[in-house]
Amino acid sequence: MTDPTTTPGTTPGTASGTTGTTGPVGAAAALTATVVRLKLSLLRNGMRQSAGRRAAFVASAALALVVALLQLLGLMGLRGHAHAADVAVPGAALLALGWALLPLFFPGGDETLDPTRLVLLPLRPRPLVRALLAASLVGIGPLFTLLVLTGCVLAVAHGAAGYGVAVVAVVLALLVCVALARTVAAANVRLLTSRKGRDLAVLSGLVIAIGTQLVNFGARRLGSAGLGQLRPVTDVLSWVPPASAVGAVHSASDGSYGIALAQLAVSAAGLAALIALWARSLTRLMTSPDGSTLQAADVATRDRSSTGLGRLLPGGRTGPVMERSLRYIWRDPKTKAAWVTSLAIGLIVPVFNAVQGTGSIYFACFAAGMLGIQMYNQFGQDTSAFWMVAQTISSPRDAYAELRGRALALLLITLPYATLVTVLTTALLGDWPRLPEVLGLSLALLGAMLATGAWASARFPYSIPQEGHKNVAPGQAGLAWISIFGGMVAAALLCSPVITLLICLKVSSDGDAWTWILLPTGAAYGTTITWLGLHLAAPRLTTRLPEILTAVSKG
């Protein structure tokens, strides 16, 4: 009797189009081929969408290939160098770190990274893992990694044993990198497709900026002290996959065959562990519902009117305004990215320069300056929701209360942060007698930026697009430049009295004994100038509500 689920020309138990493939091995091979063809189709169709996308793909592929070839040649140039392994082994570890971070910050870069697209298909996790692993080897990233890993092993390989182990090491290291990316993506797929996942993508630029500073700092240290400083790091990474595979090539070239075999075993064990975790994550994704299918009864019944933060804030209008601003900082991706970037740069600039011995204690003012910028364009982060705020402003008094609440929310973070950065910079430089004057100058600068930021927010508002990586809506770039840079120039001019006092004390014969007076003077001046700025901006905010609402709603 014929099985009704089969079609002519196929074997029972197999899908149409897989003629002649019987058993689990043939089915797994057919699935792997299908997924690889799917990956190629995605790449091909992506280039067909527009000439611009096709040109961007070709340009990025050419650039990646050139960089990879240069890396390959540079690593091959280290052959015979005493510290070749100190470059090759950490280099493999950095490649793996890049593969681990890639799906977190760029989840939309590869459609096949999202396994939830396949949950409705009758596929088992184990064959699907093999198929996705094979498909992951197709693309620019795997080719770049293959070339760099080849350079890493060639830099340390010598003799027949070394080259033989190098072949195995390259394959193992490449598979570990790809499996690591897939495991991270599968374990965090719910996060990556949520609002918090988009927050990570927005913050990717910050990670790149901080990483650049760390690489620059490390390069300077290595340039002055030599590659020998990396030897302890190399000894540790030689036993961490996938760098252990490169370490195995180095050990085999030196005749330590037992150690080389153990290091290869560590890499193989790491690959097996990653595949097991990946398969477990896929099983969970295919068999458990996500949050969108569950009834969130506790969320509906939860009382959100009184949070712990709200009870600590002032009463009246000020408290709710402060809480709303703090929630924007925590929840809105663009606002969060701006704050985290400012916090990072405000710390990196003074601290890194102090550690390198090339900085000035006055670099600590970067902390107050970077966070003071957040006072500019206060209403742009509200976008079209600003109309709800506008309904509550009917007089300059209401406008002043609104601006004061936003300024106090900013001060709640900025004051302790600026103080911490100033103290840390002073400690690194060992210049404690100048702490009061620098802290006073920071407080005066912060007050000036709060004052000019409040006025600029009412006079030059602009919209912040919620989608994409643009921070200014089309046609409003001029407003943004005038608001931020014009306000910063005005803030510098407003700080001139405190700067003049500092210069006068420095040129005076006994002025160093009186520089402590800059701390209370800067605090009082910053408070006064903030109060004046808010009072001057309040009437303008009241009269310009329609224009502000139109400007911030364009995004």
Side-chain angles (χ1 to χ4, degrees):
M1 183 174 181
T2 305
D3 188 348
T5 62
T6 63
T7 58
T10 63
T11 304
T14 62
S16 177
T18 60
T19 304
T21 60
T22 59
V25 176
L31 176 61
T32 300
T34 301
V35 175
V36 171
R37 288 197 302 270
L38 174 63
K39 179 66 175 288
L40 293 173
S41 297
L42 288 173
L43 292 174
R44 183 173 60 253
N45 293 337
M47 289 188 289
R48 286 177 177 176
Q49 289 184 4
S50 65
R53 290 196 61 171
R54 186 161 53 251
F57 179 85
V58 173
S60 60
L63 179 61
L65 184 60
V66 170
V67 173
L69 289 175
L70 291 176
Q71 294 279 351
L72 174 62
L73 294 176
L75 289 167
M76 291 180 62
L78 292 174
R79 288 176 54 82
H81 195 280
H83 298 290
D86 298 329
V87 177
V89 174
L94 284 176
L95 275 177
L97 179 62
W99 276 92
L101 294 178
L102 185 68
L104 292 177
F105 294 129
F106 303 99
D110 185 356
E111 292 87 346
T112 60
L113 280 176
D114 186 3
T116 58
R117 298 172 182 263
L118 307 174
V119 294
L120 296 180
L121 300 178
L123 302 174
R124 294 185 179 274
R126 290 286 180 180
L128 184 58
V129 164
R130 291 191 290 268
L132 290 176
L133 183 62
S136 300
L137 298 175
V138 178
I140 302 174
L143 178 59
F144 177 89
T145 305
L146 177 63
L147 292 175
V148 176
L149 286 175
T150 302
C152 289
V153 298
L154 290 179
V156 296
H158 298 285
Y163 286 113
V165 174
V167 175
V168 180
V170 169
V171 175
L172 267 179
L174 179 60
L175 290 176
V176 168
C177 288
V178 174
L180 179 60
R182 288 291 183 172
T183 304
V184 171
N188 297 277
V189 66
R190 303 296 189 198
L191 170 67
L192 298 177
T193 55
S194 65
R195 177 179 56 84
K196 291 184 178 181
R198 292 191 292 271
D199 292 354
L200 288 174
V202 172
L203 297 178
S204 60
L206 172 63
V207 175
I208 294 174
I210 296 177
T212 303
Q213 292 293 332
L214 292 174
V215 170
N216 182 37
F217 177 68
R220 289 187 180 183
R221 292 292 300 270
L222 291 176
S224 60
L227 294 174
Q229 284 193 334
L230 290 176
R231 180 54 58 87
V233 179
T234 303
D235 293 339
V236 174
L237 293 179
S238 295
W239 294 95
V240 178
S244 56
V246 180
V249 179
H250 181 59
S251 299
S253 300
D254 290 343
S256 303
Y257 303 120
I259 295 178
L261 184 61
Q263 288 172 326
L264 284 178
V266 168
S267 294
L271 176 61
L274 287 173
I275 291 177
L277 290 174
W278 184 8
R280 183 178 179 182
S281 298
L282 284 178
T283 303
R284 186 173 63 252
L285 287 171
M286 292 180 171
T287 57
S288 62
D290 62 0
S292 62
T293 62
L294 300 177
Q295 180 69 27
D298 57 332
V299 176
T301 59
R302 189 186 307 165
D303 182 12
R304 297 179 178 268
S305 60
S306 59
T307 60
L309 177 62
R311 289 193 293 268
L312 297 175
L313 297 177
R317 181 179 182 129
T318 302
V321 172
M322 291 180 64
E323 186 172 4
R324 185 206 322 136
S325 298
L326 294 173
R327 287 184 183 275
Y328 272 136
I329 295 172
W330 181 251
R331 293 183 176 182
D332 181 65
K334 289 294 183 70
T335 306
K336 181 187 293 186
W339 269 90
V340 175
T341 302
S342 297
L343 288 168
I345 296 178
L347 177 66
I348 288 174
V349 171
V351 170
F352 271 50
N353 282 279
V355 170
Q356 295 177 16
T358 59
S360 168
I361 193 172
Y362 295 105
F363 281 177
C365 295
F366 259 92
M370 290 303 301
L371 294 190
I373 294 177
Q374 304 307 314
M375 188 63 188
Y376 294 83
N377 195 34
Q378 275 291 304
F379 311 117
Q381 65 185 5
D382 297 358
T383 61
S384 58
F386 178 70
W387 73 269
M388 300 180 66
V389 177
Q391 300 301 315
T392 65
I393 299 176
S394 58
S395 66
R397 182 177 180 179
D398 295 334
Y400 173 75
E402 177 71 24
L403 291 171
R404 180 181 61 186
R406 294 178 183 244
L408 289 176
L410 189 145
L411 286 172
L412 195 63
I413 302 174
T414 305
L415 276 179
Y417 177 78
T419 303
L420 176 64
V421 172
T422 304
V423 172
L424 180 60
T425 305
T426 304
L428 291 173
L429 294 174
D431 199 359
W432 292 105
R434 301 172 73 180
L435 174 62
E437 64 185 71
V438 176
L439 188 55
L441 189 59
S442 295
L443 296 177
L445 175 61
L446 179 59
M449 298 198 74
L450 289 176
T452 56
W455 189 87
S457 295
R459 182 62 183 86
F460 302 108
Y462 57 92
S463 178
I464 301 177
Q466 294 301 299
E467 300 296 334
H469 294 276
K470 292 183 178 181
N471 292 319
V472 181
Q476 294 185 330
L479 286 174
W481 280 90
I482 294 174
S483 175
I484 297 178
F485 291 98
M488 292 173 64
V489 172
L493 294 176
L494 288 176
C495 287
S496 57
V498 180
I499 298 175
T500 302
L501 176 60
L502 174 62
I503 295 174
C504 292
L505 291 175
K506 288 297 183 181
V507 299
S508 177
S509 57
D510 58 345
D512 288 338
W514 291 94
T515 53
W516 62 268
I517 202 174
L518 283 167
L519 178 56
T521 301
Y525 182 80
T527 303
T528 303
I529 202 68
T530 300
W531 181 81
L532 288 175
L534 295 179
H535 273 280
L536 291 174
R540 183 169 293 274
L541 172 60
T542 306
T543 58
R544 286 182 51 83
L545 283 176
E547 292 87 346
I548 295 174
L549 182 58
T550 302
V552 301
S553 300
K554 290 184 177 181

